[in-house]
Amino acid sequence: MPLLKLDDLNPAQREAVLAPDGPLLILAGAGSGKTRVLTYRIAHMVAERGVAPGGIMAVTFTNKAAGEMRDRVARMTGAGARMPWVSTFHSACARILRMEAALLGAGFDRNFTILDDGDTMAVIRRVLEEAQLADSPPPELVRARLDQAKNEALSPAELAANAADGRERAVAQIYALYEARLAAMNAIDFGGLLLRSYQLLRDHPAALERWQDRAAHLLVDEYQDTNRVQYLLVRLLAARSGNLCVVGDEDQSIYRWRGADIRNILDFEHDYPNARIFKLEQNYRSTKTILAAADAVIQNNRERKAKRLWTENAAGEPVTYYTGLTERDEADFIAREIARLIGAAAARPADIVVFYRVNAQSRVIEEALVRRRLPYYIVGGLRFYDQREIKDLIAYLRVILNPADAVSLERMVGVPPRGIGAKTIDAIAAIAAREGIPAFEAMGRLESESNIALRIAKAAGNLYSWMRELSGRAAAAGVRALLDQVIERSGFAAHLDAMIDGAARRQNVAELLAAAAAFDAEHGPGGLGEFLERIALVNDSDQIRTADGRVALMTLHTSKGLEYPVAFIAGMEEGLFPHMRSQESEREIEEERRLCYVGMTRARQLLYVSNTLSRELYGNRQEARPSRFLAEIDSGLIRRIAPESGPQPLLRAPSREPYVDYTDSQAADDDGGAPGEAQLAVGARVQHQTFGRGVVRRREGKGESAKVWVNFDRAGLKLLVVKFANLRAVAD
């Protein structure tokens, strides 16, 4: 194989790629080419240093990032070469658990089901119903607490030992019952993939040694996003060789709410005193202006390592900062500007993203895009594999692979309807428990139960017979062939035809069949387990599409790892961004500031930020104040568009006062009477009996229904009906 050329690496990147073995920390700022460094380092180890690919393991957080790394490494190491192991954390753990299934304990085998969020909640609800605890917390709280416990590597016993009150002890008890239920189902939830992998490697030295050999050179991407259990897994795998290379940026640590611990990257030198540190500070993505604005924001954080990004890119356009009177104004501006960019051929729809802090913001933005007939899609909404008809069919496949999966069995027997209801499901569960058999096998014995109607028992027996036949053929069959058989024998197509939206649902089923056929073409027959695992581990970033010509809408938390020529960040207001939940904690404010930094650095050429003077959210309209993050940006980097005023320069940093008057007011005659049309023009000064003096910001309607938005000096923005408001025009 020819020598690997490093000419397209900058000096800092080249130094990191060529660093010798041992612990390495690569601090990679936004857009600094961290994936390039990781892939070049892997390729260099294989091509130049003779490291066996079978001893290299690289882990990251998204399927998109893992796929990109695999593709790059394959191109660099040559076709046909053995590939290093590049995977997400959860996929890697699923593989470890399947390979070591004999060590998982009673109830588990390598065909275990990976539960999605909906299935997890179904199991929790069933456990709560059966436990009948006096101080039983709501299922949502239980789910959140169990996720937290698994992120912190706590078993049920450890959670119970740390319980501070009766509620926590109840959660620990439910945790134990929940895990027992999963074992009986041969199922593991998302967090359990990580926790059970850690526990298995911790408790079985021989297994640990096998996987330490497989990870003799361990590379971890996005290390700032690791939680406690991931940190412990990495420590275990790297303990023997010491060859640990972590890449990350504490300025992009934005997942504390789901367990990520920024201390993992900040304390790396403490954990590994002989670590070498490299900084990647040259940005290849954004303009100088965007980078300077983002850097001005993040420099206000204390919990970070000193670094400052720079770029050789052009200065580019100023950051556009728009303020609307209401969220509808903001959305209309965003839609109008997107239409202008597309019309001027300055951007394609797929080049544009709109970020927001909370999902509830998307509705009004969607409405504005629809009005202008701008194509869009929402990232992080209902996933394809969460569509009802898709989950119904997947339930059949899960039971074929794992007959103990009671949750999938319950879904399967109900679609299409067969008259099998809650009473029959309970009977199946009772038989399974009594005879110590999987729920699927128990379904085949219903005819022996006197309390089950013969008609229903026969329907269940018929389903059992042909599903068992498919189970016997699964090891040699393709996924597409199994799905075809399920659809034909179950009557699923007729079931969809009877639905009002059946045509759309049949299109989704056709898409699933196409995906299964493509999978079979790549993997051959017998890949059902891998197909189901791939579906279970799909994440939000896998919904990103760039080829179908649509604007992307997503929360800022979904933005990691992405970049767009044009980015909008909507709702930059105190209480929304930074979020109200962060207001009492400086640490939480710093996380919100990192989230702002991440959003800003997704933009390559144009960045827009926007807010409103008044926003309705969750049914309540409130006054809005500009986000403190806007005040941290140098005004010279901003092009300001204020309410009703058009573009104008920002002469000072945004005020933190509730409202700022950016309109040149023209005094109206103070005649002491009711104002006319001219006297209520935008910019006119008026007096209200209760709210005092203010400025008219906007007019709506005419005649009896006429309304005005008035920004009062003391009371803030108010919407008033002119007929009843008793406004007086006054001199300024």
Side-chain angles (χ1 to χ4, degrees):
M1 175 175 185
L3 292 177
L4 191 68
K5 295 183 179 180
L6 306 179
D7 297 345
D8 58 344
L9 299 177
N10 66 39
Q13 292 173 333
R14 189 179 300 113
E15 189 179 4
V17 166
L18 298 177
D21 289 345
L24 308 175
L25 170 60
I26 302 175
L27 295 171
S32 63
K34 68 179 178 63
T35 303
R36 178 188 298 178
V37 170
L38 275 173
T39 52
Y40 265 87
R41 182 166 177 81
I42 293 171
H44 180 265
M45 285 192 291
V46 173
E48 309 295 341
R49 293 173 47 195
V51 175
I56 300 174
M57 176 181 177
V59 291
T60 187
F61 279 81
T62 68
N63 298 316
K64 178 178 179 290
E68 184 179 351
M69 287 175 62
R70 275 194 298 268
D71 291 345
R72 290 195 190 186
V73 171
R75 288 196 298 269
M76 296 170 73
T77 55
R82 186 183 177 190
M83 280 287 293
W85 186 14
V86 182
S87 175
T88 65
F89 263 104
H90 289 87
S91 293
C93 288
R95 180 174 176 181
I96 290 171
L97 293 177
R98 295 199 194 281
M99 296 290 289
E100 305 289 349
L103 302 177
L104 280 174
F108 288 104
D109 62 41
R110 63 177 293 112
N111 291 326
F112 60 79
T113 297
I114 301 173
L115 297 185
D116 62 21
D117 291 344
D119 295 333
T120 297
M121 284 301 297
V123 176
I124 288 174
R125 289 191 177 96
R126 180 59 66 92
V127 168
L128 288 171
E129 288 172 7
E130 295 177 356
Q132 293 293 306
L133 299 179
D135 192 21
S136 181
E140 293 75 15
L141 187 148
V142 171
R143 169 65 191 279
R145 193 64 186 93
L146 297 195
D147 282 346
Q148 182 182 2
K150 293 185 177 187
N151 288 339
E152 295 172 356
L154 296 175
S155 67
E158 290 167 329
L159 186 62
N162 296 331
D165 53 32
R167 174 61 65 88
E168 281 292 289
R169 285 189 290 273
V171 170
Q173 185 178 351
I174 294 165
Y175 186 7
L177 294 171
Y178 170 76
E179 289 299 306
R181 175 61 62 91
L182 294 192
M185 292 172 49
N186 189 28
I188 299 176
D189 63 17
F190 209 57
L193 292 173
L194 301 175
L195 179 57
R196 286 191 175 274
S197 296
Y198 165 65
Q199 292 169 335
L200 187 149
L201 297 179
R202 179 197 64 190
D203 298 340
H204 298 278
L208 175 60
E209 188 173 336
R210 284 193 291 273
W211 293 100
Q212 284 177 332
D213 287 342
R214 190 65 183 85
H217 293 267
L218 179 59
L219 301 94
V220 183
D221 190 17
E222 304 285 6
Y223 191 65
Q224 77 281 348
D225 292 332
T226 52
N227 57 29
R228 176 68 179 171
V229 70
Q230 289 163 331
Y231 167 84
L232 292 172
L233 268 169
V234 168
R235 294 270 294 181
L236 276 178
L237 289 170
R240 192 173 68 183
S241 71
N243 296 327
L244 174 61
C245 172
V246 304
V247 182
D249 178 12
E250 77 286 353
D251 289 338
Q252 298 184 70
S253 178
I254 60 173
Y255 297 121
R256 185 170 180 264
W257 54 277
R258 68 183 189 195
D261 188 350
I262 195 174
R263 301 309 312 177
N264 292 348
I265 191 168
L266 293 177
D267 293 343
F268 188 82
E269 301 99 311
H270 178 267
D271 292 336
Y272 303 93
N274 60 331
R276 294 180 176 87
I277 314 297
F278 302 91
K279 292 183 180 181
L280 307 182
E281 297 174 298
Q282 183 175 358
N283 176 282
Y284 292 92
R285 178 186 300 154
S286 305
T287 65
K288 285 185 172 68
T289 298
I290 291 172
L291 206 60
D295 192 63
V297 172
I298 200 62
Q299 291 293 331
N300 289 276
N301 270 9
R302 298 178 180 178
E303 205 169 33
R304 65 187 299 266
K305 294 176 180 288
K307 60 181 176 298
R308 191 176 291 274
L309 297 189
W310 60 278
T311 185
E312 294 179 347
N313 293 340
E317 296 291 322
V319 176
T320 299
Y321 170 22
Y322 173 84
T323 297
L325 289 173
T326 70
E327 68 280 357
R328 291 189 177 278
D329 291 328
E330 178 187 47
D332 287 342
F333 168 77
I334 291 171
R336 186 169 64 248
E337 192 64 12
I338 290 174
R340 185 188 69 79
L341 292 171
I342 295 171
R348 303 168 304 160
D351 294 333
I352 301 169
V353 64
V354 182
F355 294 128
Y356 36 81
R357 179 62 180 82
V358 298
N359 283 309
Q361 291 174 255
S362 74
R363 178 185 60 82
V364 68
I365 297 172
E366 289 183 71
E367 291 172 355
L369 294 175
V370 168
R371 283 195 296 272
R372 291 184 177 270
R373 299 184 179 181
L374 294 169
Y376 72 93
Y377 70 105
I378 297 179
V379 179
L382 184 65
R383 301 183 314 156
F384 173 76
Y385 290 108
D386 287 334
Q387 302 281 348
R388 189 175 77 187
E389 61 279 5
I390 302 302
K391 289 204 68 172
D392 290 338
L393 287 174
I394 295 302
Y396 282 89
L397 298 183
R398 282 180 164 189
V399 174
I400 288 172
L401 187 70
N402 175 20
D405 185 348
V407 170
S408 294
L409 180 86
E410 183 172 345
R411 187 178 194 106
M412 178 191 78
V413 299
V415 182
R418 299 179 175 90
I420 300 176
K423 180 181 177 181
T424 309
I425 294 296
D426 290 341
I428 292 173
I431 295 171
R434 184 177 69 231
E435 301 186 21
I437 58 176
F440 177 68
E441 294 297 329
M443 183 178 69
R445 304 186 187 185
L446 276 177
E447 290 189 47
S448 64
E449 296 294 302
S450 60
N451 61 333
I452 300 298
L454 184 60
R455 176 183 57 83
I456 294 175
K458 284 186 175 298
N462 180 56
L463 175 61
Y464 168 79
S465 296
W466 65 260
M467 279 288 290
R468 187 173 186 185
E469 178 191 338
L470 290 184
S471 296
R473 292 163 46 191
V479 178
R480 170 63 189 264
L482 291 172
L483 278 170
D484 285 338
Q485 284 293 301
V486 166
I487 292 170
E488 178 184 344
R489 296 195 182 193
S490 68
F492 200 82
H495 164 66
L496 293 182
D497 287 341
M499 302 174 71
I500 295 175
D501 56 351
R505 295 187 184 277
R506 289 199 71 160
Q507 288 179 346
N508 286 338
V509 171
E511 184 68 23
L512 176 64
L513 293 173
F519 176 86
D520 290 338
E522 181 182 351
H523 292 81
L528 178 58
E530 187 174 346
F531 180 77
L532 291 175
E533 182 174 307
R534 180 178 293 188
I535 289 173
L537 299 179
V538 166
N539 49 45
D540 285 347
S541 67
D542 298 321
Q543 300 179 66
I544 306 298
R545 301 185 291 270
T546 58
D548 59 356
R550 291 194 278 172
V551 176
L553 272 60
M554 69 185 78
T555 66
L556 282 154
H557 280 104
T558 312
S559 67
K560 278 288 293 295
L562 305 177
E563 58 181 67
Y564 288 84
V566 182
F568 291 79
I569 304 179
M572 295 203 64
E573 299 149 18
E574 288 294 308
L576 183 57
F577 192 30
H579 198 275
M580 65 182 69
R581 288 195 300 265
S582 68
Q583 301 291 333
E584 302 301 320
S585 166
E586 186 58 34
R587 195 171 188 184
E588 295 287 352
I589 288 292
E590 292 210 352
E591 173 118 345
E592 292 284 297
R593 186 176 283 112
R594 291 193 294 268
L595 187 58
C596 181
Y597 173 77
V598 167
M600 295 174 76
T601 54
R602 299 311 93 190
R604 294 207 299 260
Q605 298 163 11
L606 296 176
L607 174 62
Y608 294 79
V609 295
S610 60
N611 56 17
T612 66
L613 298 181
S614 167
R615 182 177 297 275
E616 182 178 340
L617 200 62
Y618 309 120
N620 296 315
R621 178 163 297 283
Q622 295 181 337
E623 299 174 359
R625 293 185 295 129
S627 168
R628 69 191 70 189
F629 304 145
L630 294 171
E632 295 168 354
I633 303 173
D634 186 335
S635 61
L637 302 172
I638 291 175
R639 178 172 70 100
R640 187 74 169 92
I641 303 178
E644 305 291 341
S645 307
Q648 57 180 268
L650 182 70
L651 302 179
R652 59 187 182 280
S655 170
R656 296 191 183 185
E657 293 303 313
Y659 298 104
V660 182
D661 182 6
Y662 295 104
T663 306
D664 292 327
S665 302
Q666 293 190 353
D669 294 333
D670 185 5
D671 59 4
E677 290 285 328
Q679 293 169 316
L680 284 181
V682 172
R685 293 285 292 179
V686 294
Q687 175 81 29
H688 186 272
Q689 183 176 346
T690 302
F691 301 132
R693 292 195 173 199
V695 177
V696 175
R697 289 298 198 182
R698 181 173 176 175
R699 292 182 54 85
E700 295 180 2
K702 294 181 179 180
E704 295 280 312
S705 62
K707 301 175 184 177
V708 287
W709 287 92
V710 181
N711 188 14
F712 290 101
D713 298 341
R714 297 192 309 273
L717 194 67
K718 303 293 181 183
L719 176 61
L720 304 173
V721 178
V722 174
K723 180 178 178 180
F724 304 111
N726 294 321
L727 293 171
R728 290 191 304 112
V730 296
D732 200 359

Short mmCIF file of all heavy atoms in Angstrom, two decimals, residues 508-529:
data_model
loop_
_atom_site.label_atom_id
_atom_site.label_comp_id
_atom_site.label_asym_id
_atom_site.label_seq_id
_atom_site.Cartn_x
_atom_site.Cartn_y
_atom_site.Cartn_z
N ASN A 508 -46.06 3.81 3.16
CA ASN A 508 -45.04 3.59 4.19
C ASN A 508 -44.61 2.14 4.22
O ASN A 508 -43.42 1.83 4.38
CB ASN A 508 -45.58 4.01 5.56
CG ASN A 508 -45.64 5.51 5.73
OD1 ASN A 508 -44.96 6.25 5.04
ND2 ASN A 508 -46.49 5.98 6.64
N VAL A 509 -45.57 1.22 4.10
CA VAL A 509 -45.23 -0.20 4.08
C VAL A 509 -44.36 -0.52 2.87
O VAL A 509 -43.39 -1.29 2.97
CB VAL A 509 -46.52 -1.06 4.08
CG1 VAL A 509 -46.19 -2.53 3.83
CG2 VAL A 509 -47.26 -0.90 5.40
N ALA A 510 -44.68 0.07 1.72
CA ALA A 510 -43.85 -0.14 0.53
C ALA A 510 -42.42 0.34 0.77
O ALA A 510 -41.45 -0.29 0.31
CB ALA A 510 -44.47 0.59 -0.67
N GLU A 511 -42.29 1.45 1.49
CA GLU A 511 -40.95 1.96 1.83
C GLU A 511 -40.20 0.99 2.73
O GLU A 511 -39.00 0.76 2.58
CB GLU A 511 -41.08 3.33 2.49
CG GLU A 511 -39.76 4.02 2.80
CD GLU A 511 -39.02 4.44 1.55
OE1 GLU A 511 -39.65 4.61 0.49
OE2 GLU A 511 -37.78 4.60 1.64
N LEU A 512 -40.91 0.39 3.70
CA LEU A 512 -40.30 -0.60 4.57
C LEU A 512 -39.84 -1.82 3.77
O LEU A 512 -38.73 -2.34 3.99
CB LEU A 512 -41.29 -1.03 5.66
CG LEU A 512 -40.82 -2.15 6.60
CD1 LEU A 512 -39.61 -1.70 7.41
CD2 LEU A 512 -41.96 -2.58 7.52
N LEU A 513 -40.67 -2.28 2.84
CA LEU A 513 -40.29 -3.42 2.01
C LEU A 513 -39.06 -3.11 1.16
O LEU A 513 -38.17 -3.96 0.98
CB LEU A 513 -41.47 -3.82 1.11
CG LEU A 513 -42.70 -4.38 1.83
CD1 LEU A 513 -43.84 -4.57 0.83
CD2 LEU A 513 -42.36 -5.69 2.53
N ALA A 514 -38.99 -1.89 0.65
CA ALA A 514 -37.82 -1.48 -0.13
C ALA A 514 -36.57 -1.46 0.74
O ALA A 514 -35.48 -1.89 0.30
CB ALA A 514 -38.06 -0.10 -0.75
N ALA A 515 -36.71 -0.97 1.98
CA ALA A 515 -35.57 -0.95 2.89
C ALA A 515 -35.11 -2.37 3.22
O ALA A 515 -33.90 -2.64 3.29
CB ALA A 515 -35.95 -0.21 4.18
N ALA A 516 -36.06 -3.27 3.40
CA ALA A 516 -35.71 -4.66 3.70
C ALA A 516 -35.01 -5.30 2.51
O ALA A 516 -34.03 -6.05 2.67
CB ALA A 516 -36.97 -5.44 4.06
N ALA A 517 -35.48 -5.03 1.29
CA ALA A 517 -34.85 -5.58 0.09
C ALA A 517 -33.42 -5.07 -0.07
O ALA A 517 -32.51 -5.82 -0.43
CB ALA A 517 -35.69 -5.24 -1.15
N ALA A 518 -33.23 -3.77 0.19
CA ALA A 518 -31.89 -3.20 0.10
C ALA A 518 -30.96 -3.83 1.13
O ALA A 518 -29.78 -4.11 0.85
CB ALA A 518 -31.96 -1.68 0.28
N PHE A 519 -31.49 -4.06 2.34
CA PHE A 519 -30.70 -4.70 3.38
C PHE A 519 -30.30 -6.11 2.96
O PHE A 519 -29.15 -6.52 3.13
CB PHE A 519 -31.49 -4.73 4.69
CG PHE A 519 -30.80 -5.44 5.81
CD1 PHE A 519 -29.91 -4.77 6.63
CD2 PHE A 519 -31.02 -6.80 6.04
CE1 PHE A 519 -29.25 -5.43 7.66
CE2 PHE A 519 -30.37 -7.47 7.07
CZ PHE A 519 -29.49 -6.78 7.88
N ASP A 520 -31.25 -6.87 2.42
CA ASP A 520 -30.96 -8.24 1.98
C ASP A 520 -29.89 -8.26 0.90
O ASP A 520 -29.02 -9.14 0.88
CB ASP A 520 -32.23 -8.90 1.46
CG ASP A 520 -33.25 -9.20 2.56
OD1 ASP A 520 -32.83 -9.28 3.73
OD2 ASP A 520 -34.45 -9.32 2.24
N ALA A 521 -29.96 -7.28 -0.02
CA ALA A 521 -28.98 -7.23 -1.10
C ALA A 521 -27.58 -7.00 -0.57
O ALA A 521 -26.59 -7.49 -1.13
CB ALA A 521 -29.36 -6.13 -2.09
N GLU A 522 -27.50 -6.27 0.54
CA GLU A 522 -26.20 -5.96 1.14
C GLU A 522 -25.71 -7.09 2.03
O GLU A 522 -24.50 -7.39 2.05
CB GLU A 522 -26.32 -4.67 1.94
CG GLU A 522 -25.03 -4.22 2.61
CD GLU A 522 -25.22 -2.96 3.44
OE1 GLU A 522 -26.30 -2.34 3.36
OE2 GLU A 522 -24.28 -2.60 4.18
N HIS A 523 -26.62 -7.73 2.79
CA HIS A 523 -26.20 -8.68 3.81
C HIS A 523 -26.52 -10.14 3.50
O HIS A 523 -26.03 -11.04 4.17
CB HIS A 523 -26.86 -8.32 5.15
CG HIS A 523 -26.37 -7.05 5.73
ND1 HIS A 523 -26.84 -5.82 5.31
CD2 HIS A 523 -25.43 -6.79 6.68
CE1 HIS A 523 -26.22 -4.86 5.99
NE2 HIS A 523 -25.38 -5.41 6.82
N GLY A 524 -27.40 -10.38 2.52
CA GLY A 524 -27.79 -11.74 2.24
C GLY A 524 -28.84 -12.23 3.22
O GLY A 524 -29.27 -11.50 4.12
N PRO A 525 -29.27 -13.49 3.08
CA PRO A 525 -30.32 -14.02 3.96
C PRO A 525 -29.81 -14.23 5.38
O PRO A 525 -28.60 -14.28 5.63
CB PRO A 525 -30.68 -15.36 3.30
CG PRO A 525 -29.45 -15.75 2.54
CD PRO A 525 -28.83 -14.47 2.08
N GLY A 526 -30.77 -14.35 6.30
CA GLY A 526 -30.42 -14.64 7.68
C GLY A 526 -30.00 -13.44 8.50
O GLY A 526 -29.39 -13.58 9.56
N GLY A 527 -30.32 -12.23 8.04
CA GLY A 527 -29.87 -11.03 8.75
C GLY A 527 -30.94 -10.34 9.57
O GLY A 527 -30.82 -9.14 9.85
N LEU A 528 -32.00 -11.08 9.95
CA LEU A 528 -33.11 -10.44 10.65
C LEU A 528 -32.67 -9.73 11.92
O LEU A 528 -33.10 -8.61 12.20
CB LEU A 528 -34.19 -11.48 10.98
CG LEU A 528 -35.41 -10.97 11.76
CD1 LEU A 528 -36.11 -9.85 11.00
CD2 LEU A 528 -36.38 -12.10 12.06
N GLY A 529 -31.81 -10.38 12.71
CA GLY A 529 -31.37 -9.76 13.96
C GLY A 529 -30.65 -8.45 13.73
O GLY A 529 -30.90 -7.45 14.43
#
